[in-house]
Amino acid sequence: MSEQGGGWFRKILGGKAPGTEAQAEKPAEETVKKSFFAKVRDRLTKTKTTLISQTLSIFRRRGKVDEALLEEMEECLIQADVGVETSIHLIDSIRQRARKLPSSEEADFEWLRKNFHDLILEEIGAEPPQLHLPDPLNVILIVGVNGTGKTTTIGKLANRLRNEGRSVIIAAGDTFRAAAIDQIRIWAERSGCEIIAGADGADPASVVFNAIAGARSRGVDVVIIDTAGRLHNKTNLMKELEKIGRIIAREIPGAPQETLLVLDASTGQNGLSQAKLFQEIVPLTGIVLTKLDGTAKGGVTIAVRKQLGIPVKYVGLGEGLEDLEPFDPGSFVDALFVEAQEEEDSSSSTSSSA
Ligand SMILES: Nc1nc2c(ncn2[C@@H]2O[C@H](COP(=O)(O)OP(=O)(O)OP(=O)(O)O)[C@@H](O)[C@H]2O)c(=O)[nH]1
Ligand SMILES: [Mg+2]
């Protein structure tokens, strides 16, 4: 596991990385983080229980890899919102790998665990996807249907980028909903970033133009643009995003450097249809998967990568300023499997002591 992956993993699991020694972490700050991530881990458990632990527990009941087990596993993946197509593909791959085993080897529990782990990692890609912001002035366009967490994500992302030494201006490009500007102002304050807003109902493209001009004159290197999620129909949405895109490209050749689609993980497969719709309107460079802290449908993480070919770049793990983490696929899959291991260990110790 990579160094970076270990870090992400340790944060989520409150310090426990598999195969690494318990490390003496920096005390005060780490303790605060630990209690926070312990809370997150408890919430993420919902995902793990459904996706991996449940699947593997079927194995424990049956004791061998046979057709009935594979069918039950497939069902389980579909219920965890991995998606029908991807679930069938995963199980087919397991089936083929099992067939190819030499007769001297058995498809036992460890075999299943390892192959399942590797296959999921192949699906989502092992490399942690990075934001690509190479220019003196970069634009991040944030899109998604209403309520998925765009505005909240912008606040968290602005905070993150500032902590990484970037300067950020937020463009309040959602002028459609009355309260949207006040909401993004609060997030700009929290993250300590400047905000450029117009009046309610103003043309979002003019807000974007002003934000870029402001960023240029102040030497700011990132502009994050909020957009409206509720525009009644696809034609309106398309018109508005196209206009915003035109202004951005005219002002900064090559921009937007990133166009991130915000998806609510708890909407499961519905999120996939949303992503397909947006893909037709704007070229997406990444996904932010929000509300992963409160869902049993984390399987959508695997589905989006496989079916849309777009990497998940960040995950939202709560409503606070710090609750956004860069997505690290290796750690994500490790976390799923370690939880299964821990559950298994505790259940076997319970049964042996009984
Ligand atoms: N638990 C949890 N809640 C989140 C997360 N991200 C956003 N939320 C909540 O989701 C709700 C909607 O978030 P917004 O940021 O307003 O969503 P939006 O996409 O900007 O919505 P519109 O402006 O209406 O299009 C708020 O109550 C947020 O606090 C997350 O990662 N975890
Ligand atoms: Mg919003």
Side-chain angles (χ1 to χ4, degrees):
M1 189 170 50
S2 68
E3 187 58 33
Q4 192 178 0
W8 194 90
F9 177 87
R10 272 202 304 283
K11 279 182 179 176
I12 295 296
L13 286 186
K16 287 177 279 178
T20 58
E21 292 301 313
Q23 297 182 12
E25 300 283 2
K26 285 168 245 128
E29 189 198 352
E30 207 51 42
T31 316
V32 175
K33 274 194 176 166
K34 216 168 169 175
S35 60
F36 162 69
F37 283 113
K39 181 187 80 184
V40 172
R41 176 195 54 199
D42 292 345
R43 299 211 181 144
L44 256 182
T45 304
K46 289 184 191 170
T47 303
K48 291 168 203 159
T49 304
T50 310
L51 185 59
I52 304 298
S53 308
Q54 197 182 325
T55 309
L56 292 176
S57 79
I58 300 169
F59 181 93
R60 286 197 290 272
R61 267 204 326 274
R62 293 193 176 272
K64 62 178 191 312
V65 177
D66 58 11
E67 197 46 41
L69 169 88
L70 293 177
E71 274 170 26
E72 261 194 78
M73 278 176 71
E74 193 174 281
E75 184 63 26
C76 198
L77 291 171
I78 292 169
Q79 275 172 20
D81 262 326
V82 174
V84 176
E85 204 181 303
T86 312
S87 302
I88 291 175
H89 169 76
L90 279 171
I91 296 301
D92 259 352
S93 307
I94 291 273
R95 192 179 279 119
Q96 278 164 24
R97 287 185 182 199
R99 280 195 193 125
K100 282 187 195 142
L101 268 179
S103 53
S104 55
E105 284 179 43
E106 205 193 344
D108 61 7
F109 187 77
E110 270 318 309
W111 180 89
L112 184 69
R113 181 201 289 281
K114 183 181 182 311
N115 280 273
F116 209 26
H117 179 283
D118 295 351
L119 276 171
I120 293 179
L121 207 52
E122 272 173 34
E123 294 304 324
I124 59 178
E127 280 299 308
Q130 310 264 339
L131 279 191
H132 181 66
L133 304 172
D135 298 314
L137 179 51
N138 303 278
V139 173
I140 305 176
L141 182 63
I142 304 289
V143 301
V145 305
N146 62 292
T148 51
K150 294 181 295 299
T151 305
T152 310
T153 297
I154 289 169
K156 297 173 188 175
L157 184 59
N159 183 56
R160 224 170 211 290
L161 292 174
R162 279 200 74 224
N163 288 339
E164 290 168 12
R166 300 243 182 204
S167 48
V168 179
I169 281 185
I170 295 172
D174 179 2
T175 58
F176 184 78
R177 191 165 60 83
I181 298 174
D182 295 335
Q183 189 196 358
I184 191 104
R185 264 190 210 289
I186 294 170
W187 278 106
E189 263 169 44
R190 280 184 196 155
S191 58
C193 293
E194 198 180 331
I195 177 167
I196 304 283
D200 281 353
D203 182 354
S206 73
V207 176
V208 169
F209 177 85
N210 290 338
I212 293 175
R216 191 168 271 137
S217 70
R218 293 174 191 63
V220 163
D221 57 358
V222 183
V223 175
I224 310 181
I225 301 171
D226 195 12
T227 59
R230 188 172 7 202
L231 287 168
H232 299 312
N233 62 47
K234 189 180 161 187
T235 314
N236 282 351
L237 185 70
M238 200 182 290
K239 273 191 196 149
E240 178 157 315
L241 290 178
E242 264 171 9
K243 192 168 175 193
I244 291 175
R246 242 188 349 262
I247 295 290
I248 298 171
R250 194 188 72 197
E251 293 305 307
I252 311 170
Q257 284 73 5
E258 291 280 353
T259 301
L260 303 178
L261 174 70
V262 178
L263 284 184
D264 175 343
S266 64
T267 58
Q269 289 298 299
N270 218 341
L272 277 180
S273 330
Q274 288 169 25
K276 282 179 186 152
L277 170 78
F278 276 93
Q279 238 180 349
E280 288 169 20
I281 303 177
V282 279
L284 302 172
T285 59
I287 306 261
V288 179
L289 204 57
T290 59
K291 311 187 195 183
L292 204 60
D293 51 306
T295 178
K297 298 191 169 186
V300 78
T301 315
I302 300 165
V304 288
R305 185 71 180 100
K306 170 74 184 162
Q307 288 178 35
L308 305 171
I310 309 166
V312 174
K313 293 200 170 175
Y314 287 93
V315 291
L317 296 164
E319 300 185 79
L321 191 60
E322 310 280 340
D323 297 344
L324 184 77
E325 288 289 330
F327 181 62
D328 179 47
S331 305
F332 181 72
V333 180
D334 283 343
L336 297 177
F337 281 85
V338 161
E339 191 65 23
Q341 175 81 63
E342 283 173 356
E343 279 180 10
E344 192 196 338
D345 289 349
S346 61
S347 64
S348 60
S349 66
T350 315
S351 56
S352 63
S353 64

